Amino acid sequence: MRAIRRFIVQPVLPEPLRPLGDLARNLRWSWHPDTQEVFRAVDPDLWVSTGGNPLKMLSQVSPERLEALSHDRRFVRRLELIRDDLTEYLTGERWYQTWAAANPEAPKTIGYFSAEFGISEVLPQYSGGLGILAGDHLKSASDLGLPLIGVGLLYHHGYFIQSLNTAGWQQERYPLLDPNELPIAMLTDADGAPVIIEVEIRGVPVQAQLWVANVGRVPLVLMDTNLEVNSERERLITDKLYGGGSDHRLAQEVLLGVGGVRALREFCRVTGHSVPVVYHANEGHAVFMGLERIRERMVNEHESYDSAVEQVRAGTLFTTHTPVPAGIDRFGMDQVRSQFESFTPLPIDRVLGLGAENFSGGDPSRFNMAVMGLRLSQRANGVSELHGEVSRQMFQQLWPGFDVSEVPIGSVTNGVHGHTWVHPELQHLLESPVDDAAGIRDGWDWHALDRLDGSEIWTMKRRMRGQMITMARERLAASAAARGMSADWVSTALNPHTLTIGFARRGASYKRLTLMLSQPERLKALLNHPETPIQIVIAGKAHPADDIGKGLIQQMVQFADQDDVRGRLVFLPDYDISLAKPLYPGCDVWLNNPLRPLEACGTSGMKAALNMGFNLSIRDGWWDEWYDPDFGWAIPSVEMLGNQMERDAAEAESLYELIEREIVPRFYTRDSNGIPTAWVDMMRKTIAGLGPKVRATRMVRDYVKKYYTPAAASAGRVACNGTATELAFWKQKVRAAWPGVAVARVESRLPETVEVGSSHVVEAAVRLNGLSPSDVAVELVSGEVDAVDELRNVQIDRFELAGEDSSDDNVLFRLTDVSKAAGLIGYTVRVVPYHPLLASTAELGLAALAE
């Protein structure tokens, strides 16, 4: 017999214990060890059995235990101190308040949209790196005091739980999540009624209920369509993260973007929060938010479409995480037309034009979400310096006439949330009560290990390794039971004294999980060496529809099942936050061997580094910019090899050689006390050198300085006195005139050979086709030239207006150029639109080059 409805009966906390409820309802507990210890003290066994979920634990703790604790003066006093600490954290001034006071244009509120958020294992709304990054972004924004509001979807089943069958093939299970058991609260009006938004999806009005998770100081608003008022199909829009086909995915992204803006408006109305002036789309899943904001301005402010677009673009940031076109969400034009043809008053052809691949090599039948994100955002970025370069190359066709370096996509290298990912024992050592001494940032003393004896550091790392092994054995035993296999070997699996290499990431083929298996006998020799063995701990999920990725996992599991490998190389199923937290501190070396440059950033190696682990990685993503021999090893990448098998073989050979010749000897070379002194010295240098760089507080500061504050300033300027209308009219005028704009003539008395430091005059006669000289910038583009006269490493110099050309109606511009470098140099002249409200001269994608 099945129940038709379920609900939770929560115990009534005695008055002295009421702060427990407040602490449990704010996810700051998930990265605050002192709060976790308070919950653990309520009932240590129950804390473990409920998976460290405070709300679930409090719903099960006995009334007798609560009554006893309410009379425990020591516990109550400790609880009051933790509550007061949370109150100060939520209300006190932090870094952003100081920044905003010195920078009046800093935004009052920022809206941050993402399809997934990885905050805690008790709120499973994430699949991998994108979600973990979004969660770390919110946590760090909270730590810094940013007025940020997160917006996402509440998935009924979250992401799948992974297990393995007897053959090692991945199995997926989607448990149903009950919102009442999650650390979220329903958003209600003053009368207690649930706040509901409505969005038309696939021609049907869909209602969504709003839930709010408190991530420290940052609210996260989540939309849920699992309501009885909706039909079965519409209730399933928020069923699974990245589930279903193209129509389902489009429905989710419409809800995230269009519904997300409406949810944000309702949240601000109910709570009194300021409405955001800056909107950040974390990947292309959320960029439909721009359409809703355009619609709002057209309906509420009676603006034209073009004027509304300028308002929206000025305050929007788009972050791409995808280094390959195949990773971008693309829908059929007919799909998008059907969805938005009734989205009045927006003209459907203009909507479709935002995502059109109307460039060389594009597919006119597809609607590209990343292209739409770039066209509706005045600012855009990749997630590492290398990824910024790759993105500029990938999207250069949107800006013809401009060098790759000028494509307006910058970069902010990702970071990770230190309080979440650093082992508590190490965190305790690094935390500092002051924040203004040398080497101290955000209360972390990055030189703290310099004051510790090598044996103390080594003993601490060995404890971390042992704790990881305890976790691994528990998971291995459960996995063996689920696979119907004997678990006799599990109690001796892994060794706390052995060099431990970790590899954990999605099962995507470009990450090359099985590269280490290319020479199996050589690997077995390393694993079974009698004196200097290694051991490898592996984890990762493949997308449910990715049979290639599942096949790679199966290949690894079957290798791990071999008698002479079992217990030395292990695969841990169901890679999630609860697995990752002990895994990173327990590994000595973190392996990453993607096909360069397909790793956008790769933050798992950052988490390992924050726990005194060394990276052994292809120089891709963040490791490309911050690699240093003091922090680990770089696997040479041989991209020039066109044959994939040859490239894999060459890079695998380099991997083996680094392990055999450098890593193993350094780990096992000990002093008279058994301490690997060179290894420990690297641990000190890694924490001191990488620690401040890889933290997400640095990342969020970069966003504030490079993007959020400039975007708020742009939005403010465009909003003044009809400026958006004027800017829209100016762009229309420029686009209409541009086919007739040309560089009519270039004159220079430049000899074939010049000396460095010599100057020469260049004159350009430009046909403006009715535009004013103030509407354009005339530029000299110079640089090195290759055999076909293509310019490289370009430098841009701007001409000055010299007057009318006496011979015709052209306008004359003049530049005195100084030769700055020796070598074979070439140049050209171009005309680009210019307006003080443009973020760059490339913004319109228009350039007239000299023939």
Side-chain angles (χ1 to χ4, degrees):
M1 192 182 309
R2 295 187 62 187
I4 62 170
R5 188 170 290 124
R6 59 180 176 169
F7 58 93
I8 292 176
V9 179
Q10 288 279 9
V12 177
L13 294 172
E15 186 62 34
L17 303 187
R18 291 290 174 88
L20 283 172
D22 298 331
L23 294 172
R25 284 186 288 271
N26 192 305
L27 280 159
R28 191 224 186 186
W29 65 259
S30 69
W31 71 86
H32 192 246
D34 290 345
T35 305
Q36 294 170 23
E37 288 307 309
V38 165
F39 285 123
R40 189 188 309 275
V42 170
D43 189 322
D45 293 337
L46 196 55
W47 175 253
V48 173
S49 67
T50 58
N53 184 336
L55 284 175
K56 192 172 184 179
M57 182 194 72
L58 291 176
S59 72
Q60 298 179 22
V61 69
S62 69
E64 293 77 16
R65 176 58 179 164
L66 293 175
E67 183 64 23
L69 283 173
S70 71
H71 296 288
D72 185 333
R73 286 183 295 177
R74 182 175 297 178
F75 178 84
V76 171
R77 178 57 183 153
R78 184 180 175 192
L79 177 59
E80 290 172 346
L81 290 173
I82 295 298
R83 177 201 59 195
D84 293 345
D85 180 75
L86 176 62
T87 300
E88 192 282 328
Y89 175 86
L90 297 177
T91 59
E93 289 204 351
R94 308 188 80 78
W95 173 83
Y96 188 80
Q97 284 64 49
T98 303
W99 167 264
N103 297 270
E105 292 181 320
K108 298 294 186 292
T109 312
I110 302 135
Y112 183 87
F113 289 61
S114 182
E116 52 176 303
F117 288 92
I119 298 161
S120 166
E121 59 269 33
V122 306
L123 188 61
Q125 302 292 304
Y126 62 95
S127 69
L130 180 70
I132 298 298
L133 182 277
D136 284 2
H137 194 111
L138 264 57
K139 294 173 188 177
S140 298
S142 173
D143 290 344
L144 293 172
L146 264 69
L148 187 142
I149 303 172
V151 181
L153 304 181
L154 180 66
Y155 303 98
H156 319 156
H157 298 280
Y159 202 52
F160 69 88
I161 293 175
Q162 179 197 50
S163 60
L164 303 170
N165 66 14
T166 304
W169 189 259
Q170 172 180 291
Q171 308 290 293
E172 299 96 24
R173 180 169 60 89
Y174 289 90
L176 179 64
L177 302 175
D178 185 342
N180 296 299
E181 294 181 349
L182 301 177
I184 57 179
M186 186 188 302
L187 183 66
T188 59
D189 265 316
D191 61 0
V195 175
I196 302 292
I197 63 160
E198 186 173 286
V199 182
E200 184 176 300
I201 300 176
R202 297 180 289 215
V204 177
V206 178
Q207 293 190 12
Q209 184 170 285
L210 306 185
W211 300 85
V212 180
N214 292 310
V215 187
R217 298 166 69 118
V218 172
L220 170 59
V221 182
L222 300 169
M223 293 167 283
D224 172 18
T225 64
N226 189 20
L227 304 176
E228 292 181 359
V229 69
N230 293 326
S231 69
E232 183 66 18
R233 185 179 69 158
E234 276 59 57
R235 292 182 70 168
L236 293 176
I237 289 175
T238 53
D239 62 345
K240 300 172 184 174
L241 175 59
Y242 304 142
S246 177
D247 284 342
H248 187 73
R249 190 75 170 257
L250 178 60
Q252 289 187 331
E253 297 189 12
V254 171
L255 179 63
L256 176 60
V258 176
V261 173
R262 296 177 186 178
L264 198 51
R265 298 288 182 259
E266 285 296 284
F267 174 81
C268 292
R269 176 186 64 79
V270 170
T271 63
H273 274 74
S274 299
V275 174
V277 293
V278 172
Y279 293 76
H280 186 173
N282 187 43
E283 250 308 339
H285 314 118
V287 298
F288 284 135
M289 69 179 182
L291 298 183
E292 172 63 8
R293 293 174 59 212
I294 293 169
R295 189 199 64 81
E296 285 182 332
R297 302 206 67 85
M298 294 179 72
V299 172
N300 300 334
E301 308 298 330
H302 306 291
E303 294 181 2
S304 69
Y305 173 84
D306 291 300
S307 176
V309 166
E310 296 308 324
Q311 292 271 15
V312 168
R313 289 189 76 256
T316 303
L317 168 65
F318 171 59
T319 296
T320 173
H321 293 258
T322 307
V324 289
I328 296 169
D329 274 353
R330 298 161 78 225
F331 300 103
M333 276 289 180
D334 290 341
Q335 280 181 283
V336 179
R337 179 184 294 277
S338 175
Q339 170 61 45
F340 288 104
E341 60 187 354
S342 60
F343 197 69
T344 57
L346 278 69
I348 185 61
D349 289 344
R350 300 293 297 275
V351 171
L352 296 177
L354 291 169
E357 296 184 354
N358 51 357
F359 46 77
S360 176
D363 182 348
S365 71
R366 309 302 289 171
F367 186 96
N368 188 309
M369 295 297 285
V371 168
M372 182 188 188
L374 292 167
R375 286 175 173 154
L376 273 185
S377 307
Q378 193 173 49
R379 291 166 178 83
N381 71 282
V383 291
S384 67
E385 288 185 1
L386 178 59
H387 181 234
E389 295 175 16
V390 171
S391 298
R392 288 188 288 274
Q393 293 169 0
M394 188 163 66
F395 294 109
Q396 187 183 14
Q397 293 293 344
L398 293 175
W399 290 273
F402 293 89
D403 186 72
V404 171
S405 64
E406 299 177 281
V407 170
I409 301 175
S411 66
V412 170
T413 301
N414 284 342
V416 299
H417 185 245
H419 289 292
T420 295
W421 298 110
V422 176
H423 188 280
E425 185 177 354
L426 178 58
Q427 191 175 145
H428 180 73
L429 284 171
L430 296 177
E431 287 181 327
S432 171
V434 298
D435 196 26
D436 55 359
I440 298 176
R441 189 71 186 271
D442 298 329
W444 292 67
D445 182 357
W446 299 109
H447 294 283
L449 295 188
D450 293 345
R451 296 185 290 276
L452 285 185
D453 181 78
S455 62
E456 295 178 85
I457 298 172
W458 187 240
T459 300
M460 177 171 54
K461 186 65 179 181
R462 192 164 55 229
R463 281 196 296 270
M464 294 177 181
R465 205 181 299 120
Q467 291 164 7
M468 183 273 289
I469 290 173
T470 298
M471 176 276 296
R473 289 173 179 172
E474 291 173 355
R475 288 181 177 255
L476 289 170
S479 180
R483 298 177 67 194
M485 301 171 65
S486 169
D488 293 346
W489 57 277
V490 170
S491 61
T492 57
L494 305 176
N495 185 323
H497 303 287
T498 296
L499 168 61
T500 304
I501 298 175
F503 183 103
R505 47 194 31 88
R506 285 188 299 114
S509 57
Y510 78 87
K511 293 178 181 286
R512 296 192 294 185
L513 165 64
T514 57
L515 187 70
M516 67 182 79
L517 302 185
S518 60
Q519 299 183 45
E521 295 308 314
R522 192 173 180 182
L523 177 56
K524 288 179 180 180
L526 285 165
L527 294 168
N528 292 291
H529 195 283
E531 297 176 355
T532 59
I534 70 170
Q535 58 192 9
I536 303 177
V537 183
I538 298 168
K541 296 179 178 180
H543 188 279
D546 181 11
D547 282 348
I548 294 176
K550 291 181 182 181
L552 296 174
I553 289 174
Q554 182 182 46
Q555 186 180 346
M556 181 60 70
V557 172
Q558 290 180 345
F559 180 79
D561 284 344
Q562 295 180 28
D563 290 340
D564 52 352
V565 175
R566 181 177 287 134
R568 297 169 180 83
L569 183 151
V570 298
F571 183 90
L572 306 182
D574 203 33
Y575 181 38
D576 67 355
I577 292 175
S578 65
L579 189 159
K581 281 184 176 180
L583 178 60
Y584 298 124
C587 292
D588 302 292
V589 174
W590 196 256
L591 174 61
N592 187 30
N593 45 229
L595 283 169
R596 188 181 191 271
L598 302 185
E599 186 82 275
C601 184
T603 55
S604 62
M606 294 178 169
K607 296 161 192 153
L610 276 178
N611 286 284
M612 303 183 296
F614 309 139
N615 278 266
L616 170 59
S617 176
I618 296 286
R619 289 191 63 169
D620 202 1
W622 74 275
W623 191 236
D624 184 67
E625 64 195 84
W626 288 334
Y627 161 71
D628 187 289
D630 287 335
F631 310 149
W633 297 269
I635 304 169
S637 177
V638 287
E639 292 138 271
M640 70 291 299
L641 288 179
N643 183 290
Q644 185 61 53
M645 292 183 62
E646 291 180 3
R647 179 176 177 182
D648 287 349
E651 294 180 4
E653 178 65 26
S654 297
L655 168 62
Y656 280 114
E657 288 184 358
L658 284 169
I659 294 173
E660 292 167 341
R661 298 181 182 181
E662 297 191 32
I663 296 173
V664 167
R666 186 167 301 190
F667 182 87
Y668 284 106
T669 298
R670 310 293 174 92
D671 65 9
S672 58
N673 296 315
I675 308 300
T677 53
W679 193 273
V680 170
D681 188 50
M682 280 182 68
M683 294 163 76
R684 292 191 179 100
K685 290 176 179 177
T686 296
I687 289 292
L690 280 180
K693 294 179 179 179
V694 301
R695 285 197 65 201
T697 46
R698 183 273 314 152
M699 172 190 74
V700 172
R701 280 192 180 94
D702 286 350
Y703 274 113
V704 168
K705 296 175 182 178
K706 295 175 66 173
Y707 293 109
Y708 292 164
T709 299
S714 293
R717 287 192 291 270
V718 169
C720 290
N721 303 321
T723 302
T725 300
E726 294 174 7
L727 180 59
F729 176 78
W730 177 84
K731 287 187 175 181
Q732 290 172 350
K733 178 184 72 172
V734 169
R735 288 192 176 104
W738 205 255
V741 174
V743 179
R745 186 175 67 257
V746 176
E747 293 185 0
S748 173
R749 300 176 182 84
L750 188 66
E752 289 190 5
T753 302
V754 299
E755 294 181 349
V756 173
S758 62
S759 61
H760 45 277
V761 176
V762 182
E763 290 184 345
V766 178
R767 182 168 65 251
L768 294 178
N769 196 29
L771 296 178
S772 165
S774 62
D775 292 329
V776 301
V778 181
E779 298 173 335
L780 183 77
V781 184
S782 60
E784 302 165 7
V785 290
D786 61 18
V788 293
D789 288 335
E790 284 291 323
L791 292 169
R792 301 191 307 268
N793 301 321
V794 300
Q795 176 179 313
I796 311 298
D797 294 287
R798 188 168 174 178
F799 285 75
E800 299 292 334
L801 178 64
E804 299 290 332
D805 191 325
S806 58
S807 61
D808 48 38
D809 293 332
N810 296 329
V811 179
L812 193 64
F813 292 82
R814 183 176 294 117
L815 168 70
T816 301
D817 185 47
V818 177
S819 298
K820 302 177 181 66
L824 184 60
I825 305 297
Y827 72 88
T828 189
V829 175
R830 73 179 178 199
V831 187
V832 294
Y834 172 79
H835 193 286
L837 292 179
L838 299 182
S840 76
T841 56
E843 186 171 313
L844 270 69
L846 300 175
L849 281 82
E851 295 294 335

